[in-house]
Amino acid sequence: MCLGFRDLYDFNLALLAKQSWRILNNPHALWVKLLKARYFPECDFKDANLGHRPSWIWRSLLAGRDTMMNNARRQIMNGESTNIWADNWVPEVGIITPLVPIPINAPQLVSEIIDVRSGSWNLDSVSSYLSWETKRRILSIPVGASRHHDRVVWPWTSNGLYSVRSGYHVLHSTHRALAMGNSHLSHIIPIQFTEIRRVPSDDVAVNNILNVLPASWNAPSGDFVKINVDGGWIGDTLKGGVGVTRNTDGQFVGGLAGPICCDSALAAEAHSTIKGLALSANLGFRDVIVETDSKLRINGINGDFRNKVWSIMPLLEELHIICGSMHEVRWSWVHRDLNRAAHEAAMIGVRAIELESWVSRPPLSLVQVLVSDGLPCPP
């Protein structure tokens, strides 16, 4: 099928946006330095303007930059370089429209509304300026004690990196929707997430095992404990829940369940793994097998930071830190039928008001699942 004029126009913009993405993310490249010296010596590329008598090349690059930036988003890591009120950083919200004028002494940087010690949000100082939906969306964004700077991500790819194909798709779908008179565009391009399967690491003691489906739930051997984890997530409620633990004899030694605020099943799975490993560490276990029924494919927490699933990078960092504090962590996939206890705990978590932890006898509904697995529970 031949491309029409609009198709060629969108494709050309997608190509220009790719060049702009390269400029933005490679500021120290020689060719970028030459462009900067000629066209924007006093500012960053994202703030550059046409200037006096711009060349055709410069005008084209800025058109690509604007196209890219209008559809890109800032991901919060430490929050120190993102403006609360001027940058696009809140999913499904975009640039925040405050309910009332913002006073001069109000927080300006995202880092000012992050509690670094707990790795959570503290919106008390800005709550009166934000709508309920905006606060809900902010609370669903994962944060942690990140050493990395905030970055621009392309939310239409799983790794957050711009591609011409995705750029063209966004442009073409947007223009098509506008031509049809549809002003609500947020549903047009679904964000693509891959699934976690394992989280390898070469600089912490993490061994990766992809098991063949066993006939029934198997107790771990040696000094290992097995943590069965699962993350529940219900549509657009931004609510999820988490996990269960057993020891070498199949005995129940601890578990927890509780609500979490997250914007995807992927984030719920990551949260459940963090909670499960933290519980294991608190109980004094250092050799752990993490068993899950999730086939989410993630590159892991080692290697190139930029090539991971961008949406849960702060959670992967936290997971990396927890694994580094343990002796050995192994990862195992099982069929959902063999992960029923963790699934039940996750559903308890979704329904719960606050975190519930069990170091002796778990809830009756969970006891029934454990018994059906052939595992004894405390009397």
Side-chain angles (χ1 to χ4, degrees):
M1 182 177 69
C2 295
L3 291 176
F5 176 77
R6 171 57 65 183
D7 300 309
L8 291 174
Y9 175 78
D10 290 342
F11 186 68
N12 184 54
L13 271 181
L15 289 171
L16 290 169
K18 176 67 173 180
Q19 295 306 314
S20 298
W21 179 270
R22 294 176 61 201
I23 294 172
L24 189 68
N25 289 280
N26 297 279
H28 302 298
L30 178 58
W31 68 277
V32 176
K33 290 181 178 180
L34 292 174
L35 279 174
K36 179 175 176 61
R38 172 66 177 85
Y39 294 108
F40 53 105
E42 305 298 330
C43 64
D44 294 330
F45 178 61
K46 66 182 179 63
D47 300 316
N49 52 43
L50 283 173
H52 180 62
R53 298 179 64 183
S55 67
W56 174 79
I57 292 177
W58 180 238
R59 189 184 296 274
S60 298
L61 283 174
L62 289 191
R65 179 204 63 184
D66 293 343
T67 296
M68 183 267 293
M69 293 300 293
N70 287 340
N71 292 283
R73 183 187 306 159
R74 290 192 66 80
Q75 181 180 26
I76 303 305
M77 300 304 291
N78 60 22
E80 294 177 359
S81 60
T82 300
N83 187 287
I84 299 172
W85 316 107
D87 290 322
N88 178 3
W89 63 281
V90 184
E92 305 299 327
V93 172
I95 297 176
I96 295 174
T97 301
L99 297 177
V100 296
I102 304 298
I104 297 176
N105 62 347
Q108 297 297 313
L109 297 177
V110 173
S111 58
E112 299 177 67
I113 56 175
I114 294 177
D115 185 337
V116 177
R117 289 174 299 179
S118 63
S120 62
W121 294 99
N122 183 354
L123 303 183
D124 292 347
S125 60
V126 295
S127 181
S128 60
Y129 313 125
L130 304 175
S131 69
W132 175 83
E133 177 63 15
T134 297
K135 285 185 283 190
R136 193 172 76 107
R137 291 290 174 180
I138 291 175
L139 292 174
S140 73
I141 300 173
V143 294
S146 177
R147 298 184 297 271
H148 295 279
H149 297 295
D150 302 341
R151 60 174 187 158
V152 175
V153 295
W154 184 251
W156 315 111
T157 58
S158 62
N159 60 11
L161 304 180
Y162 180 88
S163 69
V164 174
R165 181 178 181 179
S166 64
Y168 171 77
H169 192 83
V170 169
L171 284 169
H172 190 62
S173 297
T174 300
H175 290 153
R176 185 174 56 188
L178 289 173
M180 295 171 62
N182 187 346
S183 60
H184 182 67
L185 306 176
S186 62
H187 68 284
I188 294 173
I189 313 293
I191 296 176
Q192 299 298 317
F193 291 114
T194 53
E195 294 185 307
I196 278 182
R197 184 179 182 181
R198 57 183 185 273
V199 184
S201 176
D202 58 1
D203 58 344
V204 295
V206 178
N207 292 332
N208 301 288
I209 301 177
L210 191 60
N211 290 344
V212 177
L213 177 64
S216 61
W217 185 90
N218 290 330
S221 59
D223 296 326
F224 281 87
V225 297
K226 180 176 286 187
I227 305 171
N228 283 78
V229 298
D230 196 12
W233 187 68
I234 303 178
D236 193 42
T237 64
L238 303 184
K239 285 191 64 177
V242 290
V244 148
T245 312
R246 303 179 176 108
N247 70 5
T248 54
D249 299 322
Q251 294 279 354
F252 177 86
V253 294
L256 57 80
I260 51 177
C261 188
C262 56
D263 61 1
S264 70
L266 175 61
E269 290 289 346
H271 276 292
S272 68
T273 306
I274 290 170
K275 295 290 187 183
L277 283 171
L279 173 65
S280 180
N282 290 337
L283 292 174
F285 301 117
R286 292 292 180 268
D287 295 288
V288 178
I289 297 173
V290 180
E291 196 164 75
T292 174
D293 58 43
S294 173
K295 291 184 177 179
L296 305 168
R297 291 181 300 111
I298 286 185
N299 290 333
I301 53 177
N302 66 321
D304 186 359
F305 176 83
R306 296 175 60 83
N307 287 331
K308 309 303 180 295
V309 174
W310 71 269
S311 61
I312 59 167
M313 282 309 306
L315 299 178
L316 289 180
E317 282 192 318
E318 187 174 351
L319 184 57
H320 191 157
I321 293 171
I322 294 175
C323 288
S325 68
M326 309 189 81
H327 180 256
E328 186 173 1
V329 178
R330 297 179 181 177
W331 302 85
S332 175
W333 176 84
V334 292
H335 191 271
R336 185 164 191 164
D337 288 345
L338 305 183
N339 201 40
R340 291 177 299 166
H343 177 71
E344 176 60 30
M347 291 302 98
I348 292 173
V350 170
R351 298 188 296 267
I353 302 299
E354 58 185 13
L355 184 68
E356 301 177 12
S357 181
W358 318 294
V359 292
S360 56
R361 188 173 179 83
L364 180 60
S365 61
L366 197 54
V367 170
Q368 293 173 342
V369 176
L370 293 168
V371 170
S372 70
D373 276 348
L375 302 169
C377 288

